[in-house]
């Protein structure tokens, strides 16, 4: 997750204030024990979700420290450290070496898949759709616009958005499909949200670490999004956003903002979460670790780390049997909702 332009000043404040929260920095030997202790300490002092997740990090240390020996290989050390990081249950937490990168997958792998690209393209779009700026779009037979945005890592151009929304302007409603969108840049979230708001709007809050303690956080700082510039094409008709467990990080942030905009409904299942802003550090042996260091809250000050629920009455999963017969039950629900059927 990368921060957007409106929120960038907040990141500057985070860095400036964090620099004031000084404390003694230990130096660790470049051996298995030293690298393990360095990794545990970096997370202990900077990770932001210990309290929310009820993690006893000291107990985790005791469990995994017993597995460390200075006679172990780098590969053995890597997997012990990766297993320790998995205790955080955080898709933003990775350990990277020259031979592998750890990744916690259970935030999505323990849940049913709720999106099939082939199903949509074959049975709803007839393999006939337009694509620009990382967005596939088309007009469904029910006169509903459909936008598929697979990753917020794909830059969204203002002119491209004008083209998309102009093409869909005669539609009675709009579906934005971000199922299995694993995130990307908050800059793209801001650019897209700006087409659905008519005034400066609170987009959320961010708080940063002020010290090494697990509860050493600043007060939440608000950040705001502005409507798109005058002359840009806006959208004010009903919107259904299709989301699910694979909707993570910046995509989760997009849902957290859009859920409070009038005429917008979130359809599908609970998103995957991932509301922490990642931070990176390095171990004595050169391995890098990336983890959630700053918590982003939604416009009502609520955490979205554990995911965002669908709008009331809009929870629906993908029926595997219906999918075999060419029906996406989540998309069908959204079409029916927007057409009043």
């Amino acid at each position: 997750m990368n921060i957007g332009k409106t929120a960038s000043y907040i990141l500057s404040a985070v860095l400036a204030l964090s620099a004031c929260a000084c404390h003694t920095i230990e130096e660790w030997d470049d051996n298995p024990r030293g690298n393990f202790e360095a990794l545990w300490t970096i997370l202990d002092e900077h990770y932001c979700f210990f309290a929310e997740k009820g993690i006893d990090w000291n107990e985790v240390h005791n469990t995994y420290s017993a597995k460390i020996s200075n006679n172990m290989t780098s590969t053995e050390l890597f997997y012990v450290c990766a297993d320790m990081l998995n205790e955080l249950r955080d898709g933003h937490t990775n350990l990277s070496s020259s031979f592998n990168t750890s990744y916690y997958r259970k935030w999505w792998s323990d849940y049913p898949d709720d999106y099939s690209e082939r199903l949509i393209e074959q049975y709803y779009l007839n393999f006939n759709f337009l694509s620009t700026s990382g967005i596939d779009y088309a007009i469904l037979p029910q006169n509903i616009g459909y936008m598929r945005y697979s990753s917020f890592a794909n830059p969204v151009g203002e002119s491209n958005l004008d083209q998309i929304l102009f093409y869909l302007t005669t539609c009675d409603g709009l579906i934005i499909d971000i199922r299995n969108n694993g995130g990307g840049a908050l800059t793209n979230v801001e650019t897209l949200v700006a087409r659905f708001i008519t005034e400066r709007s609170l987009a959320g809050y961010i708080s940063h670490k002020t010290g090494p303690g697990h509860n050493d956080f600043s007060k939440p700082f608000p950040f705001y999004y502005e409507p798109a510039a005058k002359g840009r094409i806006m959208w004010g008709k009903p919107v259904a956003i299709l989301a699910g467990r694979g909707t993570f990080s910046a995509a989760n942030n997009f849902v957290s903002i859009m859920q409070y905009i009038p005429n917008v409904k979130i359809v599908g299942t609970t998103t995957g979460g991932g509301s922490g802003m990642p931070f990176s550090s390095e171990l004595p042996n050169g391995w890098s670790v990336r983890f959630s260091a700053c918590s982003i809250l939604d416009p009502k000050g609520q955490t979205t780390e554990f995911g965002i629920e669908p709008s009331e009455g809009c929870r629906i999963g993908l029926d595997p049997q219906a999918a075999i017969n060419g029906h996406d039950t989540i998309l069908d629900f959204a079409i029916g909702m927007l057409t009043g059927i």
Side-chain angles (χ1 to χ4, degrees), residues 22-276:
C22 297
H23 58 280
T24 301
I25 298 177
E26 262 185 281
E27 293 187 5
W28 306 98
D29 294 330
D30 184 7
N31 55 39
R33 172 62 60 187
N35 282 290
F36 171 82
E37 295 294 345
L39 177 63
W40 183 88
T41 302
I42 289 169
L43 273 294
D44 181 59
E45 296 180 349
H46 298 285
Y47 186 71
C48 66
F49 291 124
F50 286 122
E52 287 90 336
K53 296 185 177 182
I55 297 170
D56 186 335
W57 196 233
N58 289 318
E59 182 179 338
V60 170
H61 176 277
N62 294 338
T63 298
Y64 288 91
S65 177
K67 302 179 180 182
I68 300 298
S69 164
N70 280 339
N71 296 321
M72 67 197 315
T73 66
S74 291
T75 301
E76 291 170 335
L77 173 64
F78 182 90
Y79 285 109
V80 171
C81 290
D83 287 344
M84 180 178 73
L85 294 181
N86 283 343
E87 298 284 350
L88 299 173
R89 309 187 301 277
D90 192 327
H92 274 146
T93 299
N94 316 103
L95 180 65
S96 297
S97 69
S98 62
F99 55 87
N100 198 7
T101 297
S102 71
Y103 178 56
Y104 180 75
R105 295 178 172 84
K106 288 190 175 182
W107 62 266
W108 61 267
S109 65
D110 283 359
Y111 300 82
D113 193 8
D114 54 16
Y115 174 74
S116 167
E117 181 179 52
R118 176 70 183 229
L119 177 62
I120 300 291
E121 292 186 359
Q122 179 173 349
Y123 292 100
Y124 291 84
L125 305 181
N126 195 30
F127 298 110
N128 183 23
F129 52 91
L130 303 174
S131 298
T132 186
S133 203
I135 297 175
D136 299 333
Y137 62 104
I139 298 177
L140 301 176
Q142 298 86 356
N143 198 38
I144 299 296
Y146 177 82
M147 292 171 55
R148 166 64 184 168
Y149 192 19
S150 61
S151 174
F152 275 94
N154 297 323
V156 179
E158 296 285 8
S159 296
N160 299 119
L161 273 180
D162 283 339
Q163 173 61 38
I164 293 170
L165 295 178
F166 178 78
Y167 181 82
L168 302 176
T169 192
T170 59
C171 294
D172 298 322
L174 174 63
I175 293 171
I176 303 176
D177 194 343
I178 55 169
R179 290 174 291 176
N180 286 4
N181 182 320
L186 290 182
T187 301
N188 295 324
V189 172
E190 182 175 0
T191 300
L192 192 53
V193 169
R195 298 306 181 105
F196 301 92
I197 56 178
T198 58
E199 60 185 9
R200 185 172 187 257
S201 301
L202 178 64
Y205 298 86
I206 184 170
S207 61
H208 63 86
K209 289 301 295 289
T210 57
H214 288 187
N215 296 314
D216 292 342
F217 288 99
S218 70
K219 67 177 183 180
F221 289 89
F223 63 99
Y224 298 84
Y225 285 171
E226 303 284 347
K230 185 177 180 180
R232 294 297 181 188
I233 297 179
M234 310 292 284
W235 186 274
K237 299 176 185 179
V239 178
I241 296 175
L242 309 190
R245 197 63 198 179
T247 304
F248 186 72
S249 191
N252 183 75
N253 179 256
F254 176 71
V255 174
S256 78
I257 300 168
M258 293 293 290
Q259 66 178 328
Y260 297 120
I261 295 178
N263 293 326
V264 175
K265 297 291 186 182
I266 312 302
V267 176
T269 58
T270 306
T271 64
S275 68

